[in-house]
Amino acid sequence: MAAIQSIARVFFRPARVVMAVAAMTAASGVQALAPEHEVRRLMLATEAAVADERWGDAGEYLNRLQVLQANKPPAYMFYRGQVMLEGGHFNEARSALEQYVSSAGNDGAYYDKALEMITRIERQQRSNGNGVNGQPADGEPVAVIEPAAEETVDSLRKLYLADSDTGALAMHLNSLLALNGWRDDHRIVRADRPADIEYRVSVGDGQIRIQESRLADAGDRRQVSTEVLPVYGVSPLVRWDCEPLNKACWIYDPRDGARLMQLGTDRDHARSAAQTLGRLIRTMQNPA
């Protein structure tokens, strides 16, 4: 249990901590490595930490890698999946490992091990009575009863070590959005390349700010825009759906029903993201 708490403490460290570290570095006048060299350094540190089963250290390095604006090698997703698995976060672990397998292929250095870990996750989920992807072994659908909203938020606060319900929900929503970015070719997921469309939310002053980063038509240039969603007077029931023909899932704006976020094709992550956004709106409307 202590090991899992340690992983959560470093892997889901609030963004303000990362920003504070960056600010101190800039203030001290120390010249940081170029992003591509920093990625390599942190990947080596992660590899060593995993080999020594120092899961807390590995989570910290992965957290720092996550915020770097640079291409990451496929092994990044493998190590992310391994650390999440050790922390007991099976859905997130499986998603990361599947992305590694898709991007690295059977020539990947950890291809066989990633497949074995996915099987381990599947076995663990079945032993917990959840079956595979929320279905029992015989394939018949089951009713899934979610915990009460208060209990869910409380567990998220513990997971992310957040000091508020709003902060925990925002961090959880960002995690779900990062796992389901939209790609023009959703069949090929490269861990070293960001999704074509990505989102990140931040909160403050009764507003949810939704930043969209979209790959431009030419080269690797990205266009960044921000949508501001005031929470007061807005329904917390956020609609979502998936359109197989368009190879996308959508979260709709609760103000007017327009498309708000274009996500990848993972229905579970799209549903969870919409529910978390709704819960975030409701929590901000009724602060404790």
Side-chain angles (χ1 to χ4, degrees), residues 3-36:
I4 294 176
Q5 292 174 340
S6 176
I7 292 171
R9 182 159 51 249
V10 295
F11 196 71
F12 300 103
R13 181 172 296 170
R16 61 178 178 274
V17 175
V18 177
M19 292 173 64
V21 171
M24 288 188 293
T25 300
S28 66
V30 176
Q31 179 64 43
L33 291 172
E36 62 271 21

Side-chain angles (χ1 to χ4, degrees), residues 54-268:
R54 292 182 285 109
W55 304 114
D57 290 343
E60 180 178 355
Y61 297 135
L62 288 167
N63 181 71
R64 293 161 65 182
L65 277 162
Q66 184 175 3
V67 300
L68 281 177
Q69 298 297 315
N71 293 337
K72 304 173 185 66
Y76 164 73
M77 275 299 173
F78 172 78
Y79 287 128
R80 177 183 173 92
Q82 189 171 10
V83 171
M84 296 298 283
L85 175 57
E86 291 296 327
H89 310 300
F90 299 125
N91 289 334
E92 293 86 348
R94 180 165 186 163
S95 179
L97 291 168
E98 288 176 346
Q99 288 189 51
Y100 169 76
V101 170
S102 297
S103 61
N106 56 12
D107 292 329
Y110 307 106
Y111 175 76
D112 289 342
K113 190 171 182 179
L115 294 178
E116 292 170 357
M117 291 166 69
I118 292 172
T119 302
R120 174 183 163 190
I121 293 170
E122 179 180 302
R123 186 169 58 248
Q124 182 65 47
Q125 289 178 322
R126 280 179 172 160
S127 70
N128 291 340
N130 295 328
V132 181
N133 296 326
Q135 305 295 328
D138 59 9
E140 295 181 2
V142 296
V144 179
I145 302 176
E146 293 186 351
E150 292 76 16
E151 295 175 355
T152 302
V153 173
D154 183 62
S155 66
L156 290 176
R157 286 186 65 165
K158 294 177 181 177
L159 174 63
Y160 294 101
L161 293 180
D163 55 9
S164 68
D165 292 351
T166 298
L169 288 166
M171 284 187 279
H172 187 54
L173 178 55
N174 282 329
S175 178
L176 292 167
L177 294 173
L179 289 170
N180 197 25
W182 184 84
R183 290 174 168 82
D184 182 50
D185 189 347
H186 68 284
R187 299 167 302 174
I188 302 176
V189 179
R190 292 181 52 187
D192 62 335
R193 299 287 293 178
D196 293 357
I197 302 177
E198 296 181 321
Y199 296 92
R200 185 169 184 83
V201 304
S202 59
V203 297
D205 300 324
Q207 298 178 335
I208 300 174
R209 291 177 291 278
I210 304 170
Q211 183 186 82
E212 179 189 87
S213 175
R214 181 183 292 263
L215 186 66
D217 293 335
D220 293 331
R221 188 172 60 87
R222 301 187 72 87
Q223 298 174 340
V224 179
S225 60
T226 301
E227 176 83 14
V228 177
L229 174 62
V231 301
Y232 295 107
V234 172
S235 171
L237 300 177
V238 178
R239 189 167 66 89
W240 70 279
D241 67 15
C242 293
E243 301 176 359
L245 292 179
N246 293 330
K247 302 174 184 177
C249 292
W250 301 89
I251 293 179
Y252 295 93
D253 195 321
R255 294 170 294 185
D256 56 12
R259 288 173 172 175
L260 183 63
M261 298 187 211
Q262 180 179 349
L263 306 179
T265 56
D266 190 308
R267 294 182 62 86
D268 290 338

